[in-house]
Amino acid sequence: MVSRLLASALALAFALAGVTALAASASGEEVTTSAPKGPPPPANDALAGAQQVHTLPASLNGTTVGATTEAAEVESGCHVPTKSSVWYSVRLSAAHRVALQLAAAGALDATVDVYHAVRSQLTPVACQQTEGEGKASLSFEASKNGLYDIRVAALASSQLAAFSLEVFLPTPSVGPPGPPLPAGGVSGQVDRIQNVNAAYSFVMRSGVSYMINLANETKGGCVTGSLFAPGTRSFGSEGEESEEGSSAAVLRIHCSGFRLFTPGPGEGGLYSLELTPRFSRRGVQRFRVQVAQAGPAETSPGIALGNYGVARGHLNGDGLPVLRLYRMEITSHSNLTLKLTAPASAEFKLQLRDANGNLIECACEGGGSEKLAHRLSPGTYYASVSARAHSSGNFSLLRESRTITSTAISFTSHKVSAGQPLAIDVTLTPGVSGPVSVLIERFDPVFGWQYYREEHAFASAGLASVPFTPPALGMWRAKANFEGSRTASPSAVGFTYLHVG
């Protein structure tokens, strides 16, 4: 009974409220309703309220829901529009590398930025955008007592949601000189968070050439190798000298490849090779590296390859040998053909260079067997065969050089009578030997030139002669072809004419 009375009272109250509203509307009075309030901003919404990270490692839970963007807020170093940012700050009592790992919940797409704060100025240090799984990770070098502000912001087109942020001190980077590099090479891995570098040491003697081969073994990875001279105290960038006195790299192999290095006078000693990952790529990046003294087949003057000589060898793109160099002496204007025979699975480069190292031609993109053909002047030339990526296998290289020739033809007399014998001379320049054919035609005043016969001869030291007795008066003509030989290229000459009176 009480419940029914209460229900009736509530219904009457709602009805009276409706009548009041209708009456107010009829009298022209404005009716207002209060809009629903949004979620309050997080406590670290503004830079001034950044959440302090006092001890590491730290596991932080945050959210972009309700967060705003300040009027003069610094933009993301990832160069993408953002909104709804929150802030954290960290200060270390000693210089150290700091790592961040962000995991976004829901459908949040975000950036995580690190700025070095000096008074009121923020200098961008690092930035990473979440990937397909909603994760982002980065690391940066923090100076002693330096203040670093961390900004997490949603992309302008993203939904807002919670996230977790891990801040920790990863494994310290390796300093020089590093452990000894095994003679057979070594495989390893680096990444942008826990293992930001690897280093190995080996002795190089002054005046001795060494081959260094670095192979990347992770698809999409890019491990870079930097060689540092003896006495290096800390690793620096090539061509740069840091305030801490780190040395500049004397040689660098970007992503992968091989290089030859020869220490100069007084430069022998214990060298270091540092391996670093591509910091824009997540995950582990694997590599294999090997260093060995270069042999005569890997550096000048190379192995002599005579005409119609066949060189055979084996290449290994993941180690050594990775290159073979051959020297060719060309004594006359020649047509050179290089024929590389290799398995279909082998991705080998075949290159032709002149005496100054200039690249003339390269079969660099294909796989399996390759061929280069080029017309060359007399001189010294080099052919190199090298392995790409992880290719390995046996190969053979055939050189064919054929002297470029020119052919001339003439009748021994230009005033003869029918039935009078003469000769047709063929001259080859330079004076090579080989088969020659001579085509003879007669002229018909109604139907033009007609085939008469073909003669064959053998040129010796550049000379051949074919006997010819014109059987009738009129116009005659002849042309010649040098059919070539194993060492000389074919050539031909057009018609020469004879009038028989």
Side-chain angles (χ1 to χ4, degrees), residues 21-279:
L22 288 174
S25 177
S27 64
E29 296 180 10
E30 183 178 355
V31 180
T32 60
T33 57
S34 59
K37 294 183 178 180
N44 59 342
D45 180 42
L47 175 60
Q51 181 177 341
Q52 304 296 316
V53 181
H54 297 290
T55 58
L56 298 180
S59 296
L60 309 171
N61 293 318
T63 183
T64 58
V65 176
T68 61
T69 302
E70 296 179 80
E73 187 164 316
V74 64
E75 296 180 355
S76 171
C78 292
H79 306 292
V80 292
T82 58
K83 64 180 181 181
S84 304
S85 61
V86 291
W87 292 86
Y88 302 87
S89 67
V90 61
R91 187 192 298 270
L92 300 182
S93 58
H96 210 291
R97 191 164 55 90
V98 180
L100 306 177
Q101 288 185 334
L102 176 74
L108 174 62
D109 296 307
T111 62
V112 55
D113 283 87
V114 178
Y115 303 93
H116 185 197
V118 179
R119 297 177 63 84
S120 62
Q121 302 302 310
L122 297 183
T123 302
V125 174
C127 176
Q128 189 65 38
Q129 182 176 332
T130 54
E131 300 175 352
E133 298 177 352
K135 295 181 179 180
S137 58
L138 60 82
S139 66
F140 64 95
E141 294 291 342
S143 61
K144 180 180 179 180
N145 293 324
L147 177 62
Y148 294 86
D149 290 320
I150 302 168
R151 175 182 183 265
V152 178
L155 298 188
S157 58
S158 171
Q159 297 182 20
L160 303 182
F163 61 85
S164 63
L165 180 65
E166 302 288 335
V167 186
F168 58 95
L169 302 180
T171 303
S173 59
V174 179
L181 179 69
V186 68
S187 295
Q189 64 183 44
V190 288
D191 62 80
R192 68 187 185 187
I193 302 298
Q194 283 289 0
N195 301 289
V196 293
N197 75 337
Y200 302 94
S201 61
F202 40 85
V203 173
M204 288 184 165
R205 300 195 305 274
S206 177
V208 178
S209 296
Y210 296 85
M211 187 67 75
I212 305 172
N213 184 37
L214 171 62
N216 274 276
E217 298 188 331
T218 299
K219 185 177 181 180
C222 177
V223 177
T224 293
S226 300
L227 182 67
F228 291 87
T232 297
R233 290 175 295 165
S234 62
F235 295 129
S237 301
E238 185 177 25
E240 296 180 357
E241 185 77 15
S242 76
E243 294 180 356
E244 291 76 16
S246 63
S247 300
V250 298
L251 177 146
R252 178 163 296 180
I253 302 176
H254 182 64
C255 287
S256 64
F258 55 89
R259 293 282 296 275
L260 185 76
F261 182 77
T262 307
E267 296 178 352
L270 188 66
Y271 280 75
S272 297
L273 184 67
E274 183 192 26
L275 292 311
T276 54
R278 172 178 282 166
F279 282 88

Side-chain angles (χ1 to χ4, degrees), residues 394-415:
N394 298 323
F395 71 90
S396 64
L397 180 66
L398 168 65
R399 167 195 168 182
E400 295 179 357
S401 295
R402 303 176 78 185
T403 300
I404 298 171
T405 64
S406 62
T407 302
I409 187 171
S410 63
F411 290 101
T412 55
S413 176
H414 293 283
K415 293 181 179 180

Side-chain angles (χ1 to χ4, degrees), residues 301-307 325-331 336-338 351-353 376 378-384 397-401:
I303 298 176
L305 183 59
N307 197 17
L325 181 68
Y326 302 96
R327 185 183 74 258
M328 302 172 292
E329 301 295 339
I330 305 296
T331 57
L336 172 69
T337 301
L338 296 173
Q351 298 186 19
L352 175 63
R353 296 180 180 270
L376 300 176
T380 301
Y381 296 87
Y382 295 93
S384 67
L397 180 66
L398 168 65
R399 167 195 168 182
E400 295 179 357
S401 295

